[in-house]
Amino acid sequence: MLFGNLFHKGNHQQAPGLLENKNDSKDDSKPFIDLSVDLTPEEIARREHWWFKLRIFLWDSADKHPSERWFLFKLDFFLLSSAMLGYFIKTLNQNNIATAYVNGMSEHYNMANISYIIGQIPSNLILHRISARYYLGGLEFIWALLTVVQATADSLTQMYVIRFFIGLTEAGFFPGMEYLIGSWYSPAEINKRASLFACAGIAASMVSGPLQQAVLTGVAKTHKKYKAFQWLFIVDSIISFPIAFYTMAVDPNTPSTTTAPYFTKQDKLIAKERRRRISAQLNTRQKYTLKKIKTFFNTWHIWVFPVLFLAYNNTCTAINQPTFTTWMKYDLGLSPAKYNIYPTALFGAGIGFTIVISYITDYTKNRLNVFFVQAYFICVLIGSALLAHWNIPVGLHWFCYFLIGVPTAWGQPQIFSWVNKLLRYDDMKRNFIVVCTNTLAYVTGAWVPNLVWNTNYQPEYFVGFSYNATLCGLGIIFTVLATYYTNRDAKNGRYYLDEKKEEEVTSSGSSNV
């Protein structure tokens, strides 16, 4: 009853909130700058041509004013490059722990870390008040420095301490970047960008195995001072340092706080206008208050999205744990050269599917977003259930590992694009929901794997795959809940413009800037 009352109560409180947020600009009905395009007969005819439609599908700026197209080009290049590079090295560092596990580290250290959990919410609260470029770049620099130190640890206690602080500095990067990406892009643009960001992490998973193999056959063989996995951490840090400085140089902050040197005064007006015309909050430097935070718990978003993402994130563990590699190592008897390399095909397929899905989702203005979230849980449920049974043909084994591995690439951007789209009317709430959504997943992800993916069960992991299938069932239920409340809010016209009105705003008028 309380659950239902919260959903009901929240929807009646949001319309006034939207009006309050509109007051962040002096006159929300007045454009900051004219970005409209004159739909002359010639322009209309041009837009009917197949080449124009193909350009719109491939990238979403072809129908915009030339000034906005140039602005988007700069934004995409600098924001996405810094986000993707940072996420790549963070994920590479994390994945190398799992890769190193089957290459000697399991005999050297027994790892555990909860700092990633406790650092996320404070980090995003800080990010909401200070410059993102220096804060996120500084975090990257610190974890690069700590990664070097990690390679020199010679005791379990030292490794625990170092991994704790690495986790603390890494904690703020992912939710911080998800928040920033959601600060700049409209619902029709965000999925491709969020997917490219996610693919950077998948690319790191692709690189981890081959990199470990290269270290095993290269520097670790000729330089015996450090073990192979320690050399891997040294390589991680060498890559991390220049990325940290790059982030400090080019990260644009948010549209209302940007100091990026590549943005002109006109670009900054374009940034604000793009937010205004999709009814997004413009002021991104409000102070958090207890009264404000309490209002976040009066709507369904805080009760549904964190559980939904928990189900997604924790089911990814089925492939992030060394399940695939230990099966190839122990059951198939493959050599390190093969079980370190073969997962690359799985992650490559994931990137391919994710990019295709993101284009389809943006082209339909996120109308198919829900479908692909459900498809994730259905695929992983089937694969997990079959692997829990275990006694299946070898060919079906291969297929199941792809079935639980490939969808993990597209689940994350679909869910966070959903959150960013719905909550763009309240920047502080969006920041808070994004970080809480990510944090809850790690609350269970920090300790449950030690139970259900216990290495004593390898390579079968009956408990783990059974747990995974159950979580997928939970994910399906909460996707249905989120879909129902999203559709109900859209029908009632709450929170945001519908897509038809949005199209009218962005494609009518004259072409003056």
Side-chain angles (χ1 to χ4, degrees):
M1 187 67 179
L2 175 62
F3 206 58
N5 287 339
L6 286 168
F7 292 160
H8 181 73
K9 180 180 178 182
N11 284 309
H12 284 281
Q13 289 186 340
Q14 288 309 313
L18 177 57
L19 294 175
E20 291 173 5
N21 291 331
K22 284 186 176 182
N23 291 331
D24 291 336
S25 62
K26 293 181 179 179
D27 182 0
D28 194 66
S29 64
K30 183 179 180 181
F32 288 93
I33 190 171
D34 186 3
L35 296 176
S36 55
V37 177
D38 189 8
L39 297 180
T40 63
E42 293 79 11
E43 177 66 16
I44 294 174
R46 185 178 75 89
R47 295 187 176 205
E48 292 297 322
H49 197 273
W50 68 267
W51 173 241
F52 178 85
K53 294 180 179 179
L54 179 61
R55 288 175 61 198
I56 286 291
F57 180 78
L58 293 177
W59 209 245
D60 43 44
S61 61
D63 62 339
K64 293 178 172 60
H65 190 280
S67 297
E68 186 176 1
R69 289 203 298 269
W70 178 236
F71 164 84
L72 265 179
F73 174 81
K74 290 188 285 186
L75 176 65
D76 287 338
F77 182 85
F78 290 110
L79 174 57
L80 293 183
S81 62
S82 63
M84 292 171 68
L85 286 169
Y87 193 38
F88 174 87
I89 192 59
K90 184 187 85 71
T91 309
L92 181 65
N93 189 18
Q94 292 177 331
N95 283 348
N96 281 345
I97 296 293
T99 304
Y101 173 85
V102 293
N103 289 285
M105 200 179 75
S106 60
E107 291 82 21
H108 201 72
Y109 296 118
N110 178 24
M111 297 303 304
N113 203 318
I114 64 168
S115 57
Y116 197 79
I117 300 170
I118 64 177
Q120 290 190 55
I121 293 179
S123 182
N124 256 39
L125 298 183
I126 294 171
L127 180 63
H128 201 262
R129 300 293 299 157
I130 68 175
S131 172
R133 60 194 293 195
Y134 297 118
Y135 180 65
L136 295 177
L139 291 180
E140 291 174 334
F141 179 84
I142 294 171
W143 88 53
L145 191 63
L146 289 171
T147 302
V148 175
V149 178
Q150 178 181 236
T152 66
D154 56 10
S155 71
L156 179 62
T157 300
Q158 290 179 7
M159 183 62 82
Y160 273 139
V161 172
I162 296 169
R163 288 302 301 174
F164 176 86
F165 286 105
I166 289 177
L168 204 61
T169 55
E170 289 180 341
F173 184 84
F174 173 77
M177 276 300 180
E178 284 287 0
Y179 161 73
L180 284 181
I181 291 172
S183 298
W184 287 95
Y185 297 107
S186 74
E189 300 167 340
I190 193 170
N191 212 285
K192 282 193 291 293
R193 279 77 176 185
S195 293
L196 289 173
F197 176 55
C199 284
I202 306 301
S205 299
M206 291 178 64
V207 169
S208 182
L211 183 60
Q212 179 73 45
Q213 184 59 31
V215 169
L216 282 170
T217 58
V219 65
K221 186 175 288 187
T222 56
H223 297 80
K224 304 292 186 179
K225 182 177 180 180
Y226 299 114
K227 295 181 181 295
F229 68 86
Q230 292 173 312
W231 278 114
L232 195 59
F233 296 145
I234 294 173
V235 172
D236 286 349
S237 64
I238 292 173
I239 301 172
S240 297
F241 282 117
I243 292 174
F245 291 119
Y246 181 71
T247 298
M248 292 181 195
V250 306
D251 190 286
N253 294 335
T254 65
S256 64
T257 63
T258 183
T259 56
Y262 47 84
F263 282 154
T264 64
K265 291 183 179 180
Q266 177 175 286
D267 289 331
K268 294 175 183 179
L269 292 177
I270 292 173
K272 292 181 179 180
E273 173 60 16
R274 282 166 47 82
R275 301 302 290 165
R276 183 202 67 85
R277 69 189 186 189
I278 61 171
S279 295
Q281 184 179 358
L282 300 176
N283 182 4
T284 58
R285 283 289 173 86
Q286 287 183 313
K287 292 183 179 180
Y288 274 96
T289 64
L290 183 60
K291 182 179 179 180
K292 176 69 174 178
I293 293 175
K294 285 180 177 178
T295 66
F296 301 159
F297 294 87
N298 292 332
T299 57
W300 63 269
H301 310 92
I302 191 67
W303 304 103
V304 175
F305 280 122
V307 178
L308 175 60
F309 188 71
L310 180 152
Y312 158 77
N313 179 275
N314 284 205
T315 50
C316 290
T317 307
I319 203 66
N320 291 337
Q321 290 288 325
T323 53
F324 191 25
T325 49
T326 53
W327 173 67
M328 291 186 289
K329 179 178 181 179
Y330 296 118
D331 270 25
L332 300 186
L334 300 183
S335 66
K338 292 183 178 180
Y339 64 66
N340 278 331
I341 301 298
Y342 284 180
T344 303
L346 185 154
F347 298 122
I351 290 176
F353 272 92
T354 300
I355 291 175
V356 171
I357 287 171
S358 71
Y359 272 86
I360 295 171
T361 306
D362 272 357
Y363 190 73
T364 59
K365 292 184 169 58
N366 269 339
R367 294 185 182 97
L368 294 182
N369 175 265
V370 172
F371 170 80
F372 291 117
V373 174
Q374 282 288 27
Y376 165 82
F377 288 115
I378 292 171
C379 289
V380 177
L381 188 153
I382 294 172
S384 297
L386 288 170
L387 288 172
H389 182 64
W390 193 253
N391 293 318
I392 56 178
V394 172
L396 187 56
H397 256 286
W398 285 103
F399 176 74
C400 285
Y401 281 113
F402 274 77
L403 202 58
I404 68 172
V406 171
T408 61
W410 79 65
Q412 173 185 299
Q414 293 295 323
I415 294 172
F416 277 105
S417 294
W418 197 353
V419 174
N420 277 311
K421 172 187 175 181
L422 293 188
L423 299 178
R424 64 183 186 264
Y425 67 90
D426 189 330
D427 189 78
M428 188 182 296
K429 181 178 179 180
R430 182 173 61 85
N431 181 310
F432 190 80
I433 300 298
V434 164
V435 71
C436 286
T437 295
N438 196 55
T439 299
L440 181 62
Y442 287 91
V443 170
T444 54
W447 60 275
V448 172
N450 294 332
L451 303 177
V452 301
W453 300 106
N454 191 299
T455 55
N456 292 328
Y457 303 143
Q458 66 181 358
E460 296 189 17
Y461 296 106
F462 169 78
V463 175
F465 287 121
S466 299
Y467 169 74
N468 228 51
T470 304
L471 268 185
C472 285
L474 179 67
I476 290 171
I477 293 171
F478 271 77
T479 302
V480 171
L481 274 176
T483 303
Y484 168 75
Y485 289 109
T486 297
N487 291 339
R488 187 189 67 178
D489 293 346
K491 183 179 179 180
N492 293 333
R494 303 187 191 280
Y495 308 145
Y496 42 83
L497 293 171
D498 63 42
E499 273 68 21
K500 288 184 179 179
K501 290 182 180 178
E502 192 172 309
E503 289 171 358
E504 292 173 2
V505 170
T506 57
S507 63
S508 62
S510 65
S511 58
N512 300 317
V513 172

